Amino acid sequence: MLAEFLQYLFTGITIGATYALIALGFTLIYNASHVINFAQGEFLMIGGMATVSLTAMGVPMIIAVVLAVVLAGILGIALQRFAIAPAKQADVVTLIIITIGASIFIRGIAQLVWGKEYHVMQNFSTDQPIEVFGAVLNSQSLWVLGVGAILVVALVLFFTKTLIGKAILATSMNKEAARLVGIRTQMVLMLAFMVSALLGSVAGIVVAPITFTSYDIGIILGLKGFVAAAIGGLGSGVGAVVGGLSLGIVEAMAAGYISSDYKDAVAFSMILLVLFFMPRGLFGAKVVERV
Amino acid sequence: MTALVEVKGLDKAFGGVHAVEGVSFSVEAGQVYSVIGPNGAGKTTLFNLITGLYTPTKGEILLNGESTAKLEPNELAERGMCRTFQQMQICMNMTAIENVMLGRHLQLRSSLFTTLFRLPSLRRNEAAARKRAAELMEYVGCGEYLDTDASAMSYGALKRLEIARALAAEPRVILLDEPAAGLNAVETAALEDLIRKIADQGTTVMLVEHDMKLVMGISDRLLVLNYGRVLAEGSPEEIRQNPDVIAAYLGG
Amino acid sequence: MFKTVIRRAGKCAVVAAAGLMMMSAQAAEPIKIGSFLSVTGPASFLGDPELKTLEMYVEKINEEGGVLGRQLELIHYDDVGNASSARNFASRLIRSDRVDIIVGGSTTGATMAAVPLIQQAKVPLISLAGAVVITTPVKEWVFKTPQTDRMAAERILTDMKERGITRFGLISGTGGFGSSGRTQTLEVAEQMGMEVVADVTYSGSDTDMTAQLTNIRNTSGVEAVLNFGFGQGPAIVTRNYAQLGMELPFYQSHGVASDSFLELAGASAEGLRLPASPLLVPDSLPEDDPQKEVVQNYKAEYEARWDSKVSTFGAYAYDGLMLAVRAIEEAGSTDPEAVREALENIDGYVGVTGVFNMSPEDHNGLDPDSFRILEVQDGEWKLIK
Amino acid sequence: MLNNLMQSRLRGLVILALILLILPVFLGNPFHYELVTQMAIIAATVVGLNLLVGFAGQISLGHAGFFGLGAYFTGIATGTYGWPSVPALVVGAIVVGFIAWIVGRPILRLKGHYLSMATLAVGFIIAIILNNERALTGGPDGMPVPAFEVFGWELSAFGSYSLFGIDIEGFQAWYIFASVVLLVAVWFALNLIESPIGRALRSVHGSEVAASVVGVNTAKYKSLVFVISAVYASLMGSLYAHFQGFITPAVASFEFSILFITMVVLGGMGSTFGVILGAVVLKLLPQVLADFQELEHVMFGLILMLTMIFMPKGLLPTLTIFFSKRMRRKAGGEA
């Protein structure tokens, strides 16, 4: 019984950590620019695919990872600079469509460059699973959790200790005021997209040994990340982490205990339930409408 | 005369901060009743409470003797209360006259069936509503804008448009939140005439306004708020001579 | 204003018309082979090798002088794994491109979406998709080259039974292939007196199936596990299976019969069995096997041309094209009815997938023995029987 | 000016009717007819969606769910249970409208991205149910749908008919049928927008607060427009199912929902004729791009992105502004 429960929990936490990292990326961009970036999943794909293809070309793993992350960062900046920034007076929905267009485009390019096959990435450490109270844990799960935790801590430090982080926060709260105190808001937005892309690509790399990777892996993971961010409350970092983990765990528990046919439906019902009682997600900011 | 709007011990706190605290007063039908006070005194919050946009933390509001506690803004509108906003609420996705015709919403109930097939009855009612709306726009002084997109109108014109929309609902009491803000002297004078005209036709007017000359000129009674509390209440003459008000406004 | 509207409308109409015209460029001479495949999208691992195969053999046949002295022209569209666009492209092939025969439909959904159209337009279709519903009941104009999923289920369950297994756990994908395979497996199991004690599913986009497998593992009486699905899902299932340390005999369906599956699943695939065409083990076939030469040739030609491993899916397209060519040759024309009849009377065509013997009652023409049972040993496919 | 406004409404409709009337001249073969027929059905769906998105300002990323429900209701009722088409269509629309009403009440309290998330979830749940209930829906491989029939008279894209003494083919008959449906759908939408109900809907977008203080029950109107757009989707889903002859759960998929909303945004939110243009463009584009093979998706993404960046208001509104500006400049030059 316990072993079974633990097994579902491990599964849920691992995949949930991935959702959380993607959700954090959403949150970052949402905070800085109020854009829901449907291309978020593509950062994840770029991370995984670039690393796999570079290592296949004989580049050492570490360097491949760094190059992949840099590539994703550049892509993030490009996305902001060439797709989001020019669409100044665009509506929220219009921006969503732009990011959807961007994700189709990026995916198309990735398919041309890397082909359509799924690719394997080796576990970072041993292939031998770890046993805990009769449940088994893939060693890569620890990597996902560890890297996820480090990234979360780094993000917190980034936003509270560094000037750039504070500038992003200030811009997210009030763009005009930030500009008045001398923050170059366009620069800050670009940075936000870049950091978000870095997050996504790292997530894509650590999770690739578990999920495999391919040019279209970003679609569903990106979507789940959006779901996680919405559960947690858009714009809340804590919310993204909690939302991601709880989505992952609910999925795993539903698959194990309720019905594997309807596990995704269970997850989506959970969102409806959360939003029904908390219209701004678990940790979303409460906004009093000013009139 | 009975009180049209009666406010009893009203309290509104936002996360522990009292924006309005222990406010009581009553407005009688036909009056021009103004609420004044420095910025942040809680005037707009008071209006938001009265019109049902906020729920009071404590206290009660009676409209024509009926408690408004469970009523939504639209239900208050059905009972004859309408308002304008300090930060204008104009539907920028419509033309000017459509905004005013929106004000006639309650008078224009039509079934979905009638609407989908655009039956003659609907066309008749629409034509009448349009005529009335045009009259009102003329009345408030923005008659030249009729089919202009609201987004293309000047600030002053929009202010008047908002009043026309509120009037279109044929309210018994109309709440105007800083109608003169951002208007020049000529426009303000026109506004004063307008408010007087509205009051003369028997509509009760509640007013939040900073322009003292305007307020003192047209109000029957005044309520002075300071830090959410009532500082004074009375006729313009009484207020002018109230030492607390003088201290608050002049001595700071 | 009125003028602009009219002018704008006019422009729209012209643009639309130009767009439509572009799509109907006509040519009279060559024999037109139409094809709609899932070259991109979730089923691209089917459509991609299928298209490559069609392209390369159409070229080859043309170099060798074509069919009936006419060149072949391949007209192809990508349905992205979406059934509605499959139907639309089928319509475009028939009504706009006016093809003589269609080889295609990578997935059952895509094929079935086009079937009503095909039946009414009376153009022969050779489908490359697996489910039994495509040819059972028989549809006059619809043929298919892969073995049915029912045959696969029969083959797997027979093998289980021979190993003394009667109770097994079933895990399947919720996509068309897995879902249909699941239904067939349940039916066949009942017929053969076997019991499916656990029955779980995963969706095509799932990235971890540990929860489902744990569920099976904790069901008492499970003697073996069968996974029916395709895409990357079964590879993840295989790896999770190994991670959970499950030791029961493990079966996969023919949906993963390709070398790329071995690459993805790695060492965790060790010992699993599946039914597949002999394409994966051409050299292990006995010399007297009639398929040996065809299989070896296809494998060699494909790998030389595309520099990538063959898959059994590409072979479905090979057989589809060759059946079409043979039928046209035997009919002596591209008259649809004549071609259809010739297809229906194909007898003893030796293909990569198996030996085809069509009849008015059987538009697939394969028997379950065309499936060989393979086992993964030392990271390679081994022929068991 | 009132007369003008009236005329401009009907003028658009008349122009649309004229286009539909002369379009057959350009249609070279039955496939073209089919494509245009599909465009008309999809266009009518997005005209309904536009009432929700463009006019009432509520985002829906799950609209294909209702379209799919309508399609499957028709498929199951006519195919499995042998109902005639029209009752199936009507009952389906009522059922879907009711479902939309039940679902809509709680989720329409949500705003912006949360509403889009909730509608996305609803759409997904519907798609998952259609996918999993194999006994009823045939599962992921889909189900066949009989031809549209009224009193035993079948409208099949493959039949031949005689209408008022003129012989027409099935695909032409469907084209005429779909054209009429589209015109009626547009007429209803236009009537709705230019009415007290329509103003109430638009005011929910313009300023919910303003709407409520003049007596508009915003919750009720949001619900109403949600139901109306769902009914549009259901009816069109039913017709689509009959026309296609075969449906799979893809008709209720997230991708389809995204396609619908993209048609609305690309064509021009809040412009009834704009969204029709959006539907035409997005239906035509894959057919045109199909010839580019490998580059198809790259080009599609790029076109989508660039159009939205440079025409954020959508195709038709932007083009209208562009042409009227040029007209004005020309007029100024001549004067």
Side-chain angles (χ1 to χ4, degrees):
Chain A
M1 268 319 277
L2 174 69
E4 196 181 15
F5 177 78
L6 273 184
Q7 192 63 61
Y8 299 149
L9 193 66
F10 289 161
T11 307
I13 289 180
T14 308
I15 191 68
T18 320
Y19 295 162
L21 285 180
I22 307 165
L24 273 176
F26 266 109
T27 302
L28 213 75
I29 288 181
Y30 179 79
N31 266 344
S33 61
H34 283 254
V35 173
I36 288 290
N37 176 23
F38 268 83
Q40 191 68 29
E42 308 315 323
F43 297 145
L44 185 116
M45 179 273 290
I46 295 282
M49 287 303 290
T51 309
V52 166
S53 66
L54 285 170
T55 44
M57 282 156 59
V59 180
M61 181 73 177
I62 298 287
I63 299 173
V65 167
V66 172
L67 287 177
V69 172
V70 168
L71 178 65
I74 293 171
L75 189 72
I77 294 175
L79 182 64
Q80 200 280 332
R81 182 69 191 78
F82 298 115
I84 305 295
K88 279 186 215 81
Q89 359 99 306
D91 209 89
V92 186
V93 204
T94 309
L95 284 169
I96 289 184
I97 306 290
I98 291 176
T99 61
I100 289 174
S103 80
I104 296 173
F105 176 70
I106 296 170
R107 214 151 52 225
I109 298 279
Q111 181 206 313
L112 283 181
V113 177
W114 289 316
K116 284 167 280 201
E117 294 82 24
Y118 271 82
H119 297 272
V120 208
M121 198 192 285
Q122 290 310 312
N123 272 6
F124 291 1
S125 40
T126 167
D127 270 340
Q128 204 57 44
I130 302 153
E131 272 216 44
V132 189
F133 298 117
V136 290
L137 182 60
N138 184 345
S139 69
Q140 190 65 25
S141 296
L142 295 177
W143 275 96
V144 175
L145 292 176
V147 170
I150 292 170
L151 285 177
V152 169
V153 172
L155 268 187
V156 170
L157 292 178
F158 176 70
F159 279 116
T160 52
K161 303 288 181 209
T162 69
L163 206 61
I164 301 172
K166 286 178 186 164
I168 294 183
L169 274 187
T171 309
S172 76
M173 281 165 193
N174 190 333
K175 216 184 243 181
E176 285 311 309
R179 192 172 303 155
L180 286 177
V181 298
I183 296 172
R184 290 165 62 198
T185 50
Q186 275 309 313
M187 197 58 158
V188 164
L189 289 181
M190 255 199 265
L191 271 171
F193 272 78
M194 190 192 77
V195 176
S196 172
L198 297 184
L199 268 180
S201 59
V202 172
I205 295 167
V206 289
V207 84
I210 297 177
T211 62
F212 302 125
T213 184
S214 74
Y215 79 102
D216 61 356
I217 188 115
I219 306 177
I220 196 74
L221 285 176
L223 190 66
K224 291 283 176 69
F226 175 33
V227 170
I231 294 175
L234 290 170
S236 157
V238 185
V241 174
V242 174
L245 288 175
S246 50
L247 180 64
I249 292 171
V250 166
E251 275 184 11
M253 295 289 168
Y257 288 121
I258 303 176
S259 152
S260 42
D261 271 356
Y262 279 101
K263 78 174 168 43
D264 285 333
V266 171
F268 282 112
S269 308
M270 179 179 89
I271 302 159
L272 288 178
L273 205 67
V274 168
L275 291 181
F276 183 72
F277 290 107
M278 303 171 112
R280 294 189 162 264
L282 295 172
F283 295 90
K286 215 179 153 193
V287 178
V288 178
E289 223 167 308
R290 271 190 65 87
V291 283
Chain B
M1 275 210 284
T2 58
L4 183 61
V5 178
E6 195 172 0
V7 173
K8 292 180 189 166
L10 203 61
D11 240 42
K12 177 69 185 178
F14 292 107
V17 181
H18 287 263
V20 168
E21 198 175 0
V23 172
S24 302
F25 64 91
S26 63
V27 181
E28 279 165 18
Q31 281 183 335
V32 174
Y33 192 99
S34 296
V35 181
I36 60 170
N39 278 328
K43 306 181 296 288
T44 294
T45 306
L46 180 65
F47 265 31
N48 287 348
L49 286 163
I50 295 174
T51 51
L53 296 176
Y54 292 169
T55 318
T57 315
K58 233 171 31 195
E60 194 183 21
I61 303 161
L62 302 176
L63 176 62
N64 211 21
E66 182 192 5
S67 168
T68 65
K70 291 204 171 61
L71 298 178
E72 294 289 322
N74 59 299
E75 292 168 312
L76 288 168
E78 284 170 23
R79 287 163 176 74
M81 179 186 280
C82 208
R83 69 172 287 184
T84 66
F85 297 86
Q86 182 185 353
Q87 286 172 333
M88 281 183 301
Q89 296 291 324
I90 300 285
C91 298
M92 293 298 179
N93 55 343
M94 302 190 201
T95 62
I97 196 159
E98 283 176 326
N99 266 284
V100 181
M101 287 167 81
L102 174 67
R104 300 215 43 90
H105 178 76
L106 289 170
Q107 285 81 17
L108 282 175
R109 295 254 161 99
S110 58
S111 74
L112 189 59
F113 183 80
T114 316
T115 304
L116 286 181
F117 289 94
R118 206 170 172 82
L119 298 182
S121 67
L122 180 117
R123 267 181 272 168
R124 265 199 310 277
N125 290 342
E126 279 283 276
R130 195 182 154 86
K131 190 158 160 281
R132 175 81 185 126
E135 284 165 14
L136 280 169
M137 287 176 71
E138 201 60 52
Y139 180 70
V140 301
C142 55
E144 71 269 34
Y145 289 108
L146 290 184
D147 286 304
T148 313
D149 283 332
S151 52
M153 288 169 68
S154 71
Y155 184 81
L158 286 174
K159 281 249 151 191
R160 284 196 291 271
L161 184 68
E162 209 185 8
I163 297 174
R165 182 179 67 200
L167 288 175
E170 295 172 12
R172 300 167 63 186
V173 52
I174 179 169
L175 288 81
L176 306 175
D177 195 348
E178 300 207 15
L183 299 190
N184 61 32
V186 181
E187 287 172 328
T188 307
L191 179 73
E192 186 173 344
D193 287 343
L194 175 60
I195 296 176
R196 196 160 276 141
K197 267 199 290 185
I198 295 170
D200 288 347
Q201 292 187 342
T203 306
T204 309
V205 179
M206 287 186 70
L207 191 63
V208 162
E209 191 44 73
H210 278 290
D211 189 322
M212 278 306 142
K213 189 168 153 284
L214 172 70
V215 172
M216 290 300 174
I218 58 174
S219 302
D220 294 310
R221 288 190 80 78
L222 287 118
L223 178 77
V224 188
L225 288 182
N226 201 14
Y227 296 111
R229 292 166 178 277
V230 177
L231 192 66
E233 209 251 6
S235 68
E237 205 47 41
E238 288 163 6
I239 295 299
R240 225 191 298 268
Q241 284 160 19
N242 186 308
D244 292 339
V245 176
I246 294 168
Y249 268 74
L250 301 175
Chain C
M1 185 59 200
F2 185 67
K3 269 186 192 162
T4 34
V5 172
I6 282 288
R7 205 166 50 188
R8 200 186 317 136
K11 274 190 184 170
C12 288
V14 169
V15 170
L20 290 168
M21 302 279 203
M22 259 172 61
M23 296 182 292
S24 60
Q26 294 288 336
E29 267 304 300
I31 297 175
K32 290 184 176 180
I33 311 253
S35 175
F36 58 96
L37 299 167
S38 309
V39 180
T40 57
S44 63
F45 63 95
L46 299 175
D48 192 52
E50 286 163 358
L51 178 61
K52 284 177 173 161
T53 303
L54 289 184
E55 280 177 347
M56 105 188 226
Y57 282 99
V58 165
E59 259 171 48
K60 188 163 177 248
I61 291 170
N62 283 341
E63 276 164 22
E64 288 165 2
V67 179
L68 301 179
R70 291 160 72 183
Q71 294 279 293
L72 295 184
E73 184 189 344
L74 177 67
I75 302 173
H76 164 263
Y77 300 110
D78 176 11
D79 65 34
V80 205
N82 178 321
S84 332
S85 39
R87 185 221 174 267
N88 289 344
F89 282 127
S91 168
R92 184 167 168 181
L93 287 170
I94 295 169
R95 305 178 132 182
S96 191
D97 301 320
R98 299 183 188 284
V99 297
D100 297 304
I101 188 166
I102 299 179
V103 178
S106 300
T107 65
T108 303
T111 303
M112 291 305 287
V115 161
L117 186 87
I118 297 288
Q119 285 288 93
Q120 282 174 301
K122 304 191 191 307
V123 173
L125 168 84
I126 303 175
S127 167
L128 311 181
V132 67
V133 291
I134 296 172
T135 48
T136 313
V138 171
K139 294 157 196 72
E140 206 183 348
W141 294 89
V142 182
F143 301 81
K144 85 193 224 12
T145 54
Q147 297 94 341
T148 62
D149 42 7
R150 190 175 184 91
M151 282 181 208
E154 282 167 6
R155 202 74 179 82
I156 294 167
L157 267 56
T158 309
D159 190 63
M160 280 187 188
K161 221 169 184 179
E162 283 164 10
R163 290 164 96 180
I165 296 164
T166 55
R167 294 155 64 84
F168 64 97
L170 177 63
I171 177 167
S172 55
T174 51
F177 183 83
S179 160
S180 171
R182 173 182 170 273
T183 312
Q184 299 308 322
T185 305
L186 293 177
E187 281 179 24
V188 172
E190 198 175 320
Q191 275 177 16
M192 294 176 60
M194 297 169 72
E195 198 183 342
V196 179
V197 286
D199 178 13
V200 296
T201 61
Y202 55 89
S203 80
S205 54
D206 281 2
T207 49
D208 192 318
M209 286 63 152
T210 315
Q212 288 92 324
L213 287 172
T214 307
N215 194 316
I216 294 183
R217 188 176 63 169
N218 294 350
T219 308
S220 59
V222 178
E223 294 164 357
V225 179
L226 164 60
N227 175 26
F228 229 111
F230 65 23
Q232 89 288 10
I236 298 180
V237 171
T238 307
R239 299 222 313 198
N240 292 158
Y241 194 83
Q243 278 156 15
L244 286 170
M246 294 171 74
E247 307 260 317
L248 300 168
F250 186 40
Y251 286 84
Q252 288 277 3
S253 71
H254 57 308
V256 299
S258 69
D259 286 338
S260 64
F261 168 76
L262 281 188
E263 270 169 44
L264 288 182
S268 39
E270 205 58 29
L272 72 75
R273 286 188 177 189
L274 53 67
S277 84
L279 180 62
L280 296 177
V281 286
D283 302 328
S284 326
L285 289 177
E287 284 307 320
D288 61 345
D289 192 310
Q291 278 179 270
K292 183 154 187 160
E293 195 193 332
V294 185
V295 169
Q296 278 177 332
N297 284 346
Y298 172 67
K299 185 177 162 76
E301 282 166 353
Y302 185 94
E303 291 183 351
R305 166 74 194 266
W306 298 105
D307 191 28
S308 65
K309 291 287 185 74
V310 278
S311 78
T312 49
F313 317 122
Y316 299 151
Y318 174 85
D319 289 337
L321 181 65
M322 292 309 163
L323 283 172
V325 167
R326 183 159 165 162
I328 291 171
E329 274 171 350
E330 259 162 42
S333 78
T334 53
D335 173 61
E337 180 55 40
V339 174
R340 194 198 72 78
E341 265 196 56
L343 268 175
E344 209 167 65
N345 292 317
I346 292 267
D347 191 31
Y349 160 73
V350 180
V352 178
T353 312
V355 180
F356 290 82
N357 296 304
M358 303 269 189
S359 72
E361 292 79 41
D362 182 3
H363 276 195
N364 180 2
L366 292 171
D367 58 47
D369 286 339
S370 58
F371 269 133
R372 317 297 204 271
I373 290 286
L374 309 184
E375 186 175 297
V376 179
Q377 288 172 10
D378 303 320
E380 281 182 34
W381 302 108
K382 283 275 150 27
L383 186 67
I384 296 296
K385 57 195 88 176
Chain D
M1 233 16 217
L2 174 69
N3 286 336
N4 249 334
L5 218 84
M6 282 284 299
Q7 278 170 0
S8 80
R9 281 175 16 142
L10 295 184
R11 197 166 61 194
L13 199 63
V14 168
I15 291 170
L16 180 64
L18 285 177
I19 291 176
L20 289 169
L21 208 61
I22 54 168
L23 200 55
V25 177
F26 300 98
L27 300 178
N29 60 45
F31 170 67
H32 294 169
Y33 275 94
E34 275 196 357
L35 202 60
V36 180
T37 303
Q38 283 180 357
M39 280 176 194
I41 295 175
I42 299 291
T45 315
V46 293
V47 164
L49 178 61
N50 185 40
L51 294 173
L52 177 72
V53 179
F55 289 106
Q58 310 296 310
I59 310 173
S60 171
L61 297 185
H63 217 60
F66 299 123
F67 187 84
L69 277 181
Y72 269 94
F73 192 95
T74 280
I76 294 167
T78 60
T80 315
Y81 295 103
W83 289 26
S85 295
V86 175
L89 190 101
V90 173
V91 175
I94 293 171
V95 170
V96 171
F98 183 70
I99 293 173
W101 183 68
I102 296 285
V103 184
R105 281 201 310 176
I107 68 172
L108 286 166
R109 294 185 309 141
L110 302 169
K111 293 201 192 323
H113 296 306
Y114 292 100
L115 177 64
S116 58
M117 183 80 252
T119 50
L120 182 152
V122 170
F124 254 103
I125 292 172
I126 291 172
I128 291 170
I129 293 173
L130 293 179
N131 197 58
N132 281 336
E133 292 308 312
R134 300 172 186 90
L136 214 52
T137 65
D141 282 337
M143 66 183 296
V145 182
F148 189 82
E149 71 64 33
V150 196
F151 302 121
W153 184 78
E154 248 184 32
L155 181 58
S156 159
F158 293 89
S160 295
Y161 304 95
S162 179
L163 201 71
F164 308 120
I166 307 164
D167 288 327
I168 56 169
E169 296 295 321
F171 54 85
Q172 289 169 321
W174 256 106
Y175 171 77
I176 296 168
F177 181 44
S179 300
V180 172
V181 166
L182 176 63
L183 289 173
V184 172
V186 169
W187 185 59
F188 277 162
L190 292 175
N191 283 349
L192 194 72
I193 295 155
E194 294 278 329
S195 77
I197 295 178
R199 274 195 300 276
L201 292 181
R202 282 182 288 160
S203 73
V204 170
H205 188 190
S207 164
E208 221 172 295
V209 183
S212 67
V213 297
V214 292
V216 177
N217 184 343
T218 52
K220 183 184 119 187
Y221 279 95
K222 279 199 257 181
S223 235
L224 178 72
V225 71
F226 194 65
V227 170
I228 291 176
S229 67
V231 167
Y232 260 86
S234 171
L235 291 172
M236 294 309 130
S238 294
L239 289 185
Y240 187 80
H242 277 308
F243 178 68
Q244 293 282 81
F246 194 88
I247 46 174
T248 66
V251 291
S253 65
F254 178 61
E255 290 75 24
F256 225 51
S257 290
I258 292 290
L259 184 66
F260 283 151
I261 194 93
T262 308
M263 285 169 175
V264 171
V265 178
L266 187 83
M269 273 191 285
S271 158
T272 300
F273 296 101
V275 300
I276 295 174
L277 180 62
V280 170
V281 168
L282 284 179
K283 210 63 196 142
L284 203 55
L285 209 52
Q287 295 293 336
V288 176
L289 291 180
D291 295 330
F292 292 88
Q293 305 275 351
E294 291 273 281
L295 284 174
E296 183 181 337
H297 303 289
V298 179
M299 289 181 63
F300 183 78
L302 201 63
I303 291 172
L304 195 58
M305 222 174 11
L306 293 179
T307 316
M308 289 329 307
I309 290 171
F310 294 109
M311 302 182 169
K313 297 265 168 269
L315 286 174
L316 194 59
T318 312
L319 291 177
T320 310
I321 293 169
F322 177 75
F323 281 116
S324 62
K325 255 190 202 154
R326 234 178 49 172
M327 286 266 290
R328 222 176 293 146
R329 205 176 308 142
K330 217 183 267 171
E334 280 160 13

PDB file of all heavy atoms in Angstrom, chain D residues 14 97 136 145 151 168 303:
ATOM      1  N   VAL D  14     -25.424  41.689 -48.295  1.00  0.00           N
ATOM      2  CA  VAL D  14     -25.689  41.613 -49.732  1.00  0.00           C
ATOM      3  C   VAL D  14     -24.402  41.290 -50.489  1.00  0.00           C
ATOM      4  O   VAL D  14     -24.383  40.446 -51.386  1.00  0.00           O
ATOM      5  CB  VAL D  14     -26.304  42.942 -50.237  1.00  0.00           C
ATOM      6  CG1 VAL D  14     -26.313  42.975 -51.763  1.00  0.00           C
ATOM      7  CG2 VAL D  14     -27.702  43.118 -49.675  1.00  0.00           C
ATOM      8  N   GLY D  97     -26.434  23.697 -25.773  1.00  0.00           N
ATOM      9  CA  GLY D  97     -26.722  24.990 -25.171  1.00  0.00           C
ATOM     10  C   GLY D  97     -26.903  24.855 -23.662  1.00  0.00           C
ATOM     11  O   GLY D  97     -26.412  25.677 -22.880  1.00  0.00           O
ATOM     12  N   LEU D 136     -19.717   4.404 -27.589  1.00  0.00           N
ATOM     13  CA  LEU D 136     -20.640   5.404 -28.115  1.00  0.00           C
ATOM     14  C   LEU D 136     -20.060   6.137 -29.321  1.00  0.00           C
ATOM     15  O   LEU D 136     -20.735   6.367 -30.314  1.00  0.00           O
ATOM     16  CB  LEU D 136     -20.930   6.410 -26.990  1.00  0.00           C
ATOM     17  CG  LEU D 136     -22.311   7.031 -26.933  1.00  0.00           C
ATOM     18  CD1 LEU D 136     -23.386   5.961 -26.973  1.00  0.00           C
ATOM     19  CD2 LEU D 136     -22.436   7.882 -25.687  1.00  0.00           C
ATOM     20  N   VAL D 145     -20.795   9.074 -40.287  1.00  0.00           N
ATOM     21  CA  VAL D 145     -22.048   9.806 -40.090  1.00  0.00           C
ATOM     22  C   VAL D 145     -22.840   9.715 -41.389  1.00  0.00           C
ATOM     23  O   VAL D 145     -22.290   9.960 -42.456  1.00  0.00           O
ATOM     24  CB  VAL D 145     -21.772  11.291 -39.755  1.00  0.00           C
ATOM     25  CG1 VAL D 145     -23.073  12.024 -39.500  1.00  0.00           C
ATOM     26  CG2 VAL D 145     -20.846  11.411 -38.565  1.00  0.00           C
ATOM     27  N   PHE D 151     -37.006  14.282 -44.361  1.00  0.00           N
ATOM     28  CA  PHE D 151     -38.162  13.511 -44.840  1.00  0.00           C
ATOM     29  C   PHE D 151     -37.762  12.514 -45.921  1.00  0.00           C
ATOM     30  O   PHE D 151     -38.362  12.448 -46.986  1.00  0.00           O
ATOM     31  CB  PHE D 151     -39.254  14.448 -45.378  1.00  0.00           C
ATOM     32  CG  PHE D 151     -39.727  15.423 -44.356  1.00  0.00           C
ATOM     33  CD1 PHE D 151     -39.632  16.796 -44.574  1.00  0.00           C
ATOM     34  CD2 PHE D 151     -40.253  14.978 -43.139  1.00  0.00           C
ATOM     35  CE1 PHE D 151     -40.065  17.690 -43.617  1.00  0.00           C
ATOM     36  CE2 PHE D 151     -40.688  15.879 -42.188  1.00  0.00           C
ATOM     37  CZ  PHE D 151     -40.588  17.241 -42.427  1.00  0.00           C
ATOM     38  N   ILE D 168     -28.501  19.676 -60.626  1.00  0.00           N
ATOM     39  CA  ILE D 168     -27.263  20.046 -59.947  1.00  0.00           C
ATOM     40  C   ILE D 168     -26.673  18.829 -59.251  1.00  0.00           C
ATOM     41  O   ILE D 168     -27.372  17.879 -58.909  1.00  0.00           O
ATOM     42  CB  ILE D 168     -27.466  21.185 -58.906  1.00  0.00           C
ATOM     43  CG1 ILE D 168     -28.524  20.789 -57.886  1.00  0.00           C
ATOM     44  CG2 ILE D 168     -27.808  22.476 -59.573  1.00  0.00           C
ATOM     45  CD1 ILE D 168     -28.560  21.736 -56.723  1.00  0.00           C
ATOM     46  N   ILE D 303       3.653  33.312 -41.283  1.00  0.00           N
ATOM     47  CA  ILE D 303       2.556  34.138 -41.788  1.00  0.00           C
ATOM     48  C   ILE D 303       1.656  34.576 -40.634  1.00  0.00           C
ATOM     49  O   ILE D 303       1.278  35.742 -40.520  1.00  0.00           O
ATOM     50  CB  ILE D 303       1.740  33.366 -42.847  1.00  0.00           C
ATOM     51  CG1 ILE D 303       2.584  33.186 -44.111  1.00  0.00           C
ATOM     52  CG2 ILE D 303       0.448  34.098 -43.177  1.00  0.00           C
ATOM     53  CD1 ILE D 303       1.956  32.278 -45.140  1.00  0.00           C
TER      54      ILE D 303
END
